[in-house]
């Protein structure tokens, strides 16, 4: 193992301003953990953009290497279940926040944080999924456990052109569901239909606070990336016994609603937490995604970038300028897809 590695390092000055730069970091400075991974790919999530730009005080100790997701091969291990050369993927566990993450050529974590790369996935495609794809898979798994089925009616995905939404649309369509995608970006309609969306609902139709406590029953279930008024509105349109998986809050974290959808229609509001999800469920959901999601659809929602593009991507994702999934390679990108 080399004595140092390249990483994108954040530092905080006396005025609490956070800045980032590429640096050579001593391997000895890696955090404690029983597995060291040679990182091949990482990605940029909205949370990464916040961390890179010092928003939300998610990081409490500097210097810090961000990156909440990574994939690569085990470089060294004292963990019983992992050996050098094993391909692995990491999402969650507050890596990239409370401990150093994947924006470096090396990462060190507890072995229990790592999932062995499922058959059918490459390291690049694992990062085309990342936290967003895993969250989408977890949402679909949760809704199916609550009774959602392919012949049960339409399933709505809000914020459909983002990372979680894109994978949710493609995964649901691959499973045989009739998917309705909600977006405010007209230029993404063809993109979403290509992923399998049967219909498009303009974001504005759901963004206003609901006018009545119950509207006509339309959707058997929904994957909601937005929260706020959108979540309040769609709760009124969920059919009897249906459910909503809440995965995001781009439209706000406060929801003003009534209990009537819950009391009169038996609707369930299900929270999705992908960060601390137990490892056994992680492995099952990753396997389901790998065996179900069409890889050509995954490639169509991803675009590959070089490691030096991280700062630009970190700013762009906060502005809503990143469509689908940004895969970051520690080698020069070979193509726009993530099949390598």
């Amino acid at each position: 193992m080399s004595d140092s590695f390249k990483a994108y390092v954040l530092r905080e000055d006396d005025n609490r301003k956070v800045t980032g730069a590429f640096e050579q970091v001593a391997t000895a400075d890696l955090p404690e953990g029983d597995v060291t991974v040679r990182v091949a790919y990482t990605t940029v999530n909205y949370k990464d953009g916040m961390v890179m730009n010092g928003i939300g005080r998610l990081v409490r100790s500097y210097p810090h290497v961000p990156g909440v997701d990574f994939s690569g091969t085990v470089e060294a291990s004292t963990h019983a279940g992992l050996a050098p050369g094993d391909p692995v993927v990491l999402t969650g566990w507050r890596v990239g926040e409370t401990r150093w993450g994947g924006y470096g050529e090396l990462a060190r974590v507890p072995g229990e944080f790592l999932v062995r790369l499922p058959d059918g996935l490459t390291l690049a495609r694992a990062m085309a999924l990342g936290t967003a794809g895993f969250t989408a898979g977890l949402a679909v798994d949760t809704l199916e456990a609550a009774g959602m089925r392919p012949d049960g009616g339409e399933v709505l995905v809000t914020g459909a052109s983002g990372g979680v939404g894109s994978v949710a649309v493609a995964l649901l369509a691959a499973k045989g569901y009739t998917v309705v995608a909600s977006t405010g970006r007209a230029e993404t309609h063809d993109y979403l239909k290509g992923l399998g969306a049967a219909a498009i609902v303009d974001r504005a139709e759901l963004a206003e606070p609901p006018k009545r406590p119950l509207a006509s029953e339309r959707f058997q279930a929904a994957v909601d990336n937005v929260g706020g008024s959108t979540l309040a509105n769609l709760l009124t349109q969920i059919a009897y016994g249906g459910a909503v998986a809440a995965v995001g809050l781009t439209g706000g974290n406060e929801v003003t609603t009534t209990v009537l959808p819950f009391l009169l229609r038996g609707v369930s509001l299900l929270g999705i937490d992908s960060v601390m999800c137990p490892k056994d469920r992680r492995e099952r959901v990753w396997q389901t995604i790998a065996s179900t999601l069409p890889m050509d659809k995954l490639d169509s929602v991803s675009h590959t970038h070089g490691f030096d593009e991280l700062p630009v991507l970190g700013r762009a994702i906060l502005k809503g300028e990143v469509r689908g999934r940004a895969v970051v390679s520690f080698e020069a990108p070979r193509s726009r897809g993530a099949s390598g």
Side-chain angles (χ1 to χ4, degrees):
M1 193 182 305
S2 57
D3 293 334
S4 67
F5 63 97
K6 184 179 179 180
Y8 186 69
V9 181
L10 301 180
R11 297 184 182 275
E12 185 180 53
D13 64 20
D14 293 339
N15 296 315
R16 302 183 77 181
K17 181 180 180 181
V18 175
T19 56
F22 294 100
E23 301 180 14
Q24 283 296 125
V25 178
T27 303
D29 290 340
L30 283 167
E32 293 183 359
D34 53 6
V35 180
T36 302
V37 177
R38 174 69 60 177
V39 179
Y41 297 93
T42 183
T43 184
V44 179
N45 300 289
Y46 193 87
K47 186 183 290 185
D48 292 310
M50 294 177 66
V51 168
M52 293 168 72
N53 291 279
I55 298 171
R57 307 305 301 173
L58 296 172
V59 177
R60 300 301 175 88
S61 178
Y62 293 90
H64 178 72
V65 177
V68 303
D69 298 339
F70 63 81
S71 63
T73 56
V74 174
E75 184 96 345
S77 173
T78 58
H79 187 274
L82 294 168
D86 286 346
V88 292
V89 58
L90 181 141
T91 63
W93 301 113
R94 301 202 69 190
V95 170
E97 298 176 64
T98 61
R99 63 181 295 135
W100 286 13
Y103 287 0
E105 294 171 322
L106 292 176
R108 184 175 292 150
V109 295
E112 288 303 305
F113 289 6
L114 297 166
V115 171
R116 192 184 299 273
L117 189 73
D119 292 340
L121 277 185
T122 64
L123 292 172
R125 282 172 170 154
M127 284 299 98
L129 291 162
T131 287
F134 175 68
T135 301
L138 195 59
V140 172
D141 182 72
T142 300
L143 288 171
E144 289 185 325
M148 182 180 72
R149 62 187 192 277
D151 61 353
E154 294 179 324
V155 179
L156 176 70
V157 178
T158 65
S161 62
V164 178
S166 294
V167 177
V169 170
L171 184 60
L172 285 163
K175 282 175 163 281
Y177 289 92
T178 302
V179 185
V180 178
S182 172
T183 180
R185 299 161 63 184
E187 69 274 14
T188 66
H189 288 190
D190 289 342
Y191 161 78
L192 291 169
K193 289 178 180 177
L195 295 180
I200 307 291
V201 171
D202 192 275
R203 177 173 59 197
E205 293 184 30
L206 294 169
E208 295 296 321
K211 295 180 174 61
R212 300 185 303 276
L214 290 174
S216 298
E217 300 176 50
R218 176 173 180 183
F219 307 107
Q220 67 157 319
V223 177
D224 177 50
N225 289 279
V226 181
S229 296
T230 295
L231 176 55
N233 204 330
L234 70 89
L235 281 169
T236 71
Q237 300 181 48
I238 300 298
Y240 188 90
V244 177
V247 302
L249 44 68
T250 59
N253 60 5
E254 294 185 0
V255 180
T256 302
T257 186
T258 73
V259 298
L260 294 186
F262 312 115
L263 300 183
L264 299 184
R265 289 182 180 167
V267 171
S268 298
L269 178 58
L270 307 170
I272 306 299
D273 170 47
S274 63
V275 176
M276 304 304 291
C277 177
K279 185 174 180 176
D280 56 348
R281 191 178 185 199
R282 283 178 186 273
E283 292 173 334
R284 177 167 58 80
V285 170
W286 272 109
Q287 290 289 348
T288 298
I289 296 171
S291 63
T292 305
L293 187 67
M295 290 299 113
D296 61 331
K297 295 290 193 295
L298 180 58
D299 291 343
S300 74
V301 308
S302 67
H303 35 96
T304 306
H305 302 264
F307 188 37
D308 60 352
E309 297 179 68
L310 271 174
V312 174
L313 292 168
R315 292 188 292 269
I317 199 164
L318 295 180
K319 298 176 183 178
E321 296 173 353
V322 176
R323 188 183 79 174
R325 297 290 295 149
V327 177
V328 177
S329 172
F330 282 80
E331 299 177 353
R334 292 180 297 247
S335 67
R336 290 191 61 80
S339 59

